[in-house]
Amino acid sequence: MRQPVPGFLIASVALASAWWLGACTPAAPEAPAAPAAVVAPPAPAATSLDAAWPAPDKVERDGPDAALAVQVGDIDNFGFGFPEGFDPFTGKSTPVHPFPFQPSAQDAAGTDRIMVVSGHRQATGDGYTADTARPDNAPRPLRVAFPLDGIALERAALQLFVDDFQARVWGARYGVRLNGTELPMLETMLNALDQTGPIGKLVTVELLPEQLPLLRDGKVELSIDDPEHDAADGHAIDFMRVLVNPKPWRHVGIVRGVAVDQTSGAPLAGVLVSAGNTRQATTSDDGSFVLQGVPAGLAVVVGSHPDYEGDTEAADLVAGETVEVRLELAPTGKTRDSLAAQLDKQGKVDLYGIYFDTDKDRLKDESGPVLEQVQALLEARPGLRLVVAGHTDAEGADAHNLDLSNRRAAAVVAWLVARGIAADRLQSEGHGEGRPVAGNDSAAGRALNRRVELREAAASADG
């Protein structure tokens, strides 16, 4: 079902000639029309940067990998170096390295350092946790400021060289925020990793068009942490690269696979399959899919369908090779117990069984069964407080979608309050098209973005 894999946090890769023979390339996935570019204001040749927003370790303009490549941290395998001729961008695993290790005074904050999730209290787990201590192993965000020099942001990607992420083993649930805004795809990818060794691997994720404005000011703060769970999951990041308008990936492979119903084993058609947003496809009638030109490294493949819980599998993808994965999606029962299980596991639930009149906030009668199960969940857990968040696809004007999502979330809250749920246990909010979980360039992606999200209020955060 899955190939051997690894872990999660903040990093990126660079190599070759000036960059250590750099990354792989995605040709843009099929899209009906290119989204409007986000034009950055011209920046002076030398940008004034303070300690909170340090300058990059390296900047390359119009290089082999992107119109602008910004590197945070040095590419040195956590200070241990690489074997002669080794290129981390080709997807090969590094040799096992010793631990613990400490960053040097020259290393960028958040790189070459063992970090343990801030929720850790006393749980036992991996060696990284056992062999380090607070405050040295406290999570640190990656921060960088860089001049965009008037570049029109048409696409962007992040590359992280990560080490020893094992959320699946130790029970961590990483949250990832870029400049304060959630990055659902990177969260999913990092939480799917099961890295051992310890060894480092490259992870690549492309931002969706709706996320490009986050880079408009030429600043990046990438934070990766789990403040809520007492999980002994230590990890590290060697470097991060921000690629603005990436060129075709230079080191690529092929991912083949099949998506099936976890219960029956029957093939599933119409599953949206994505490799870090760099490549995507929809499964055919026999459940099969092929992703060509996937960047080498840890290929984290995500399968999504409105009627199923998503599945994620990771595989080591070496440039020029092909890997196979099997995605097993569990039907969403939409019962009180299944909603509770998802909430406990992920901290949130995406509901696709709530329907509204077209372009209105009036709930349709067909929404009743799902809403009744949400009501039952709240009744069974009197201490539970929920954020009800509305999301739309990118069809229509931004302002209209934001208003519509707010009104629809409020309508769900009103339905629950009318049936006896205390109003102070519920909070409504709308995000319009601003927090997509899939690309809006396909019908399958748009269907996934149109959703009502339930989130534990204690786990919510602004931004």
Side-chain angles (χ1 to χ4, degrees):
M1 184 168 116
R2 62 192 274 235
Q3 312 257 336
V5 193
F8 167 92
L9 184 60
I10 309 176
S12 173
V13 188
L15 189 54
S17 55
W19 280 83
W20 268 86
L21 188 57
C24 316
T25 179
E30 294 183 18
V38 177
V39 180
T47 303
S48 176
L49 303 172
D50 58 30
W53 293 102
D57 285 78
K58 190 163 193 173
V59 175
E60 187 175 53
R61 293 176 174 81
D62 197 24
D65 300 317
L68 177 67
V70 176
Q71 179 181 316
V72 179
D74 47 15
I75 301 174
D76 65 354
N77 192 26
F78 309 98
F80 297 104
F82 294 102
E84 183 177 355
F86 185 91
D87 182 349
F89 292 95
T90 61
K92 295 181 180 179
S93 296
T94 64
V96 174
H97 62 72
F99 67 89
F101 49 86
Q102 295 287 338
S104 71
Q106 292 74 40
D107 285 323
T111 68
D112 286 8
R113 174 187 294 274
I114 293 175
M115 294 177 280
V116 178
V117 297
S118 61
H120 177 254
R121 297 293 181 268
Q122 59 185 17
T124 57
D126 68 356
Y128 277 15
T129 303
D131 290 353
T132 58
R134 302 289 194 223
D136 288 348
N137 66 5
R140 291 159 171 80
L142 295 176
R143 288 193 183 101
V144 66
F146 49 91
L148 283 164
D149 293 330
I151 293 175
L153 282 164
E154 298 171 354
R155 291 170 52 227
L158 301 177
Q159 288 190 312
L160 311 173
F161 200 73
V162 299
D163 176 77
D164 216 46
F165 279 91
Q166 299 179 79
R168 284 185 168 181
V169 175
W170 304 117
R173 190 169 71 212
Y174 287 101
V176 180
R177 287 182 174 266
L178 174 61
N179 294 344
T181 297
E182 289 177 293
L183 287 186
M185 177 59 76
L186 188 51
E187 285 184 355
T188 299
M189 293 169 68
L190 291 177
N191 282 309
L193 296 182
D194 181 10
Q195 290 183 288
T196 57
I199 58 173
K201 292 289 288 190
L202 181 67
V203 172
T204 302
V205 61
E206 184 162 348
L207 300 187
L208 295 171
E210 295 79 12
Q211 296 162 337
L212 292 178
L214 296 173
L215 303 182
R216 178 167 39 202
D217 295 331
K219 292 182 177 180
V220 164
E221 179 184 77
L222 187 66
S223 60
I224 301 170
D225 190 19
D226 177 0
E228 298 176 26
H229 298 90
D230 184 11
D233 190 10
H235 50 264
I237 298 169
D238 187 44
F239 67 92
M240 173 178 73
R241 285 209 304 173
V242 181
L243 303 178
V244 176
N245 298 344
K247 297 179 180 181
W249 306 108
R250 292 191 285 155
H251 304 289
V252 298
I254 298 172
V255 178
R256 299 179 182 273
V258 63
V260 301
D261 183 303
Q262 185 185 72
T263 303
S264 68
L268 291 177
V271 174
L272 183 65
V273 180
S274 176
N277 295 329
T278 63
R279 290 289 185 270
Q280 69 176 32
T282 303
T283 58
S284 58
D285 290 343
D286 62 358
S288 65
F289 64 88
V290 178
L291 301 176
Q292 302 271 2
V294 176
L298 272 175
V300 185
V301 183
V302 181
S304 305
H305 190 286
D307 297 328
Y308 289 81
E309 293 183 34
D311 189 25
T312 306
E313 299 298 335
D316 288 322
L317 180 63
V318 176
E321 297 184 2
T322 298
V323 296
E324 296 195 6
V325 298
R326 178 182 173 91
L327 298 172
E328 297 186 356
L329 283 70
T332 52
K334 297 187 178 73
T335 65
R336 180 195 71 182
D337 292 341
S338 67
L339 294 178
Q342 290 182 60
L343 204 60
D344 291 341
K345 180 181 178 181
Q346 302 174 355
K348 61 182 180 180
V349 178
D350 288 329
L351 296 177
Y352 293 99
I354 298 179
Y355 305 103
F356 298 87
D357 288 344
T358 303
D359 209 32
K360 299 183 185 301
D361 58 14
R362 182 180 179 275
L363 284 160
K364 289 189 172 185
D365 292 342
E366 302 94 292
S367 304
V370 174
L371 290 171
E372 288 167 1
Q373 294 304 312
V374 176
Q375 176 187 349
L377 170 65
L378 287 160
E379 290 172 344
R381 295 187 173 187
L384 179 64
R385 297 172 60 250
L386 289 177
V387 174
V388 180
H391 301 268
T392 70
D393 60 26
E395 300 291 298
D398 293 1
H400 174 76
N401 287 338
L402 181 60
D403 174 67
L404 181 62
S405 64
N406 268 303
R407 289 188 285 114
R408 286 181 168 178
V412 172
V413 168
W415 189 98
L416 293 166
V417 170
R419 285 154 181 81
I421 303 300
D424 62 1
R425 297 177 60 194
L426 301 167
Q427 173 188 338
S428 69
E429 61 185 34
H431 300 289
E433 61 193 66
R435 296 188 179 181
V437 293
N440 280 294
D441 54 358
S442 69
R446 291 190 293 274
L448 290 168
N449 288 331
R450 296 189 298 268
R451 67 198 191 280
V452 172
E453 174 191 350
L454 302 181
R455 193 168 70 247
E456 293 181 63
S460 66
D462 294 333

